[in-house]
Amino acid sequence: MTKSEALYQEALQVIPGGVNSPVRAFGSIGATPKFIRSAQGAYLYDEDGMQYIDYVGSWGPMILGHGRQEVLEQAISACRRGLSFGAATAAEVEMAELVCGMVPSVEMVRMVNSGTEAVMSAIRVARGYTGRNKIIKFSGCYHGHSDGLLVKAGSGAMTAGVPDSLGVPSGCTQDTLSAAYNDLESVEGIFRMCGEEIAAVVVEPVAANMGVVPPVPGFLEGLRSLCSAYGALLVFDEVITGFRLGADGAQGYYHVAPDLTAFGKIIGGGMPVGAYGGRREVMELVAPLGGVYQAGTLSGNPVAMAAGIAQLTALKAHPEWYQQLNGQAERFFQGIGAILQKLGLPYQVNYVGSLGCLYFTGQAVTDYESAKSSDTGLFARYCREMMERGIYLAPSQFEAIFVSMAHTEEILGRTLELMEKCLGACGQ
Ligand code: HOZ
């Protein structure tokens, strides 16, 4: 028995499913989790000393690669000054100025501890601002695990086949309306029906929790127009795309400005962080300025702020890094396409910037329904093969491949070679 297997057996006794977040259980690919001991650059190392090229990157934040010196040093020196004060710090001001400076639609920002909290709070603000209750979300988009948003959710909920969770009172979801991603008409239909009651449209500008589904041209622009026409707020969930597609996230990439944006993960350089922000007149509703209550002892935690500031400062100072990363990732994803062509496999590769997904379906993937057409059994086999060869992929068809700055051409090339072998093996 490997150390990972032994740890998993132990974990099963005391942690539900042996893990602290469902996707990590590897259940959907018929495997057991690798217990990770350390990480450096593009690599993860498990408790058995196995090395893996990491395409999860802690589900997004490790855009610079693991163990970046400038991030570690700032975090360690912040640790020495104190782990938590539950009081205002200069670092919070610096972080807020950085975020507002990098993302033009964000004039004020509030730090929280996770993406879940960020989206949940942004929606509360939207409801407080508009005085309305209903929200529109999209099937297959995942916005964390708050009650009102676990409706046709992507990510782990989709993998586990339970996109609506037990334990969520129907009262909590009665104001959550679902539309189809990339289908503006489905949104227009809802607005026509009850436009005066809609507080917000919340969307992942690139859906990255049902694999990776880019918005079709006009979709985000259409949402913007509908929200403006009906007096609803447009909320972008940029937990995955923020500071990843570019310094100004998906909203800069697609040139569509939301009213509110939720951030997560990447904003803390790997520490537990989230944030939400947007137009000043809207954010001024947040307590103690306004009547929308939201609070947290660990919000703006000094260690998290230090790591996040270091990462964002580096990204801000090097806009060319995004060009480099996106270019490299594009060649990688095109390389996957070339392998599929060579092997005569009809599968689909979707990508935007350094986010991508290989779907085991012959159908173009543009929404939840088409994403679900992927053969998850085949994905499971492929994923296990890759893992055995030292490539660490998210153990779910419905998560993204994350490429980081630490993935050199050589590493990406080596991955493609192994991928060709695995896809060849799976096709037989
Ligand atoms: N919600 C994350 C994927 N989109 C999974 C987080 C985790 O398991 O760490």
Side-chain angles (χ1 to χ4, degrees):
M1 194 186 270
T2 64
K3 274 193 189 169
S4 277
E5 284 164 354
L7 279 165
Y8 183 51
Q9 290 311 318
E10 217 179 308
L12 284 171
Q13 305 307 313
V14 284
I15 305 174
V19 290
N20 281 312
S21 188
V23 191
R24 298 182 201 170
F26 283 61
S28 75
I29 63 156
T32 55
K34 305 292 174 200
F35 281 67
I36 304 303
R37 188 178 173 78
S38 64
Q40 186 57 48
Y43 295 99
L44 291 179
Y45 300 88
D46 73 9
E47 289 285 352
D48 295 285
M50 275 284 293
Q51 182 191 63
Y52 302 90
I53 304 177
D54 177 20
Y55 286 96
V56 178
S58 188
W59 309 91
M62 311 319 292
I63 188 169
L64 302 179
H66 295 280
R68 281 290 291 216
Q69 214 48 37
E70 62 268 58
V71 178
L72 284 183
E73 271 165 18
Q74 290 305 317
I76 291 166
S77 101
C79 280
R80 294 211 169 91
R81 292 192 299 275
L83 294 178
S84 175
F85 311 125
T89 63
E92 290 166 285
V93 186
E94 189 178 352
M95 172 61 99
E97 284 171 352
L98 255 177
V99 173
C100 295
M102 289 168 86
V103 188
S105 76
V106 177
E107 293 172 335
M108 289 186 115
V109 64
R110 170 60 70 80
M111 303 306 297
V112 290
N113 297 293
S114 69
T116 294
E117 245 188 277
V119 185
M120 184 183 84
S121 308
I123 288 172
R124 186 176 300 154
V125 173
R127 285 179 165 145
Y129 180 79
T130 57
R132 303 170 178 181
N133 287 336
K134 294 192 191 309
I135 58 161
I136 299 178
K137 83 172 278 291
F138 295 89
S139 304
C141 282
Y142 179 72
H143 304 290
H145 61 274
S146 65
D147 282 350
L149 291 166
L150 279 180
V151 177
K152 295 193 181 160
S155 189
M158 191 168 173
T159 312
V162 285
D164 303 298
S165 172
L166 284 178
V168 175
S170 54
C172 290
T173 53
Q174 72 190 13
D175 288 318
T176 307
L177 310 173
S178 298
Y181 194 79
N182 272 334
D183 179 355
L184 213 45
E185 271 177 31
S186 72
V187 188
E188 273 163 355
I190 297 175
F191 268 109
R192 271 197 302 272
M193 220 164 51
C194 54
E196 313 302 312
E197 295 173 69
I198 310 275
V201 172
V202 55
V203 66
E204 292 181 77
V206 174
N209 284 286
M210 50 172 156
V212 171
V213 181
V216 295
F219 178 60
L220 297 177
E221 293 83 344
L223 296 182
R224 176 66 279 172
S225 309
L226 281 169
C227 284
S228 301
Y230 283 89
L233 298 192
L234 179 60
V235 180
F236 274 5
D237 176 344
E238 293 232 42
V239 168
I240 289 185
T241 50
F243 306 100
R244 174 163 280 276
L245 296 189
D248 47 1
Q251 50 197 272
Y253 196 91
Y254 292 105
H255 305 292
V256 176
D259 299 292
L260 290 171
T261 305
F263 300 102
K265 322 186 196 229
I266 200 165
I267 210 169
M271 298 295 291
V273 175
Y276 65 99
R279 280 166 42 207
R280 181 175 302 279
E281 55 153 341
V282 180
M283 288 301 290
E284 280 179 347
L285 270 188
V286 178
L289 257 192
V292 174
Y293 195 72
Q294 176 271 311
T297 296
L298 293 169
S299 298
N301 171 270
V303 183
M305 291 302 96
I309 289 168
Q311 175 149 292
L312 293 189
T313 303
L315 288 168
K316 187 179 177 193
H318 297 282
E320 75 282 4
W321 284 358
Y322 282 109
Q323 244 170 314
Q324 198 181 315
L325 172 62
N326 291 352
Q328 207 144 289
E330 186 175 4
R331 286 190 290 283
F332 173 66
F333 292 121
Q334 285 172 349
I336 303 178
I339 292 172
L340 296 178
Q341 212 168 6
K342 184 171 160 191
L343 298 176
L345 299 170
Y347 311 145
Q348 312 292 313
V349 189
N350 281 4
Y351 62 90
V352 182
S354 54
L355 298 169
C357 183
L358 166 60
Y359 292 96
F360 289 76
T361 175
Q363 198 179 325
V365 177
T366 55
D367 58 12
Y368 186 58
E369 292 308 319
S370 45
K372 282 196 298 183
S373 74
S374 190
D375 183 337
T376 50
L378 211 47
F379 171 83
R381 198 168 152 206
Y382 152 80
C383 194
R384 287 196 306 266
E385 293 268 353
M386 291 289 275
M387 197 69 80
E388 270 164 36
R389 289 172 166 85
I391 309 292
Y392 191 93
L393 298 173
S396 160
Q397 171 66 92
F398 306 114
E399 302 287 348
I401 296 172
F402 293 90
V403 179
S404 82
M405 294 279 308
H407 290 81
T408 59
E409 294 278 3
E410 190 276 323
I411 292 174
L412 295 171
R414 195 151 30 100
T415 306
L416 288 175
E417 278 170 29
L418 292 169
M419 205 177 265
E420 182 168 346
K421 287 196 183 118
C422 291
L423 285 168
C426 290
Q428 284 156 15

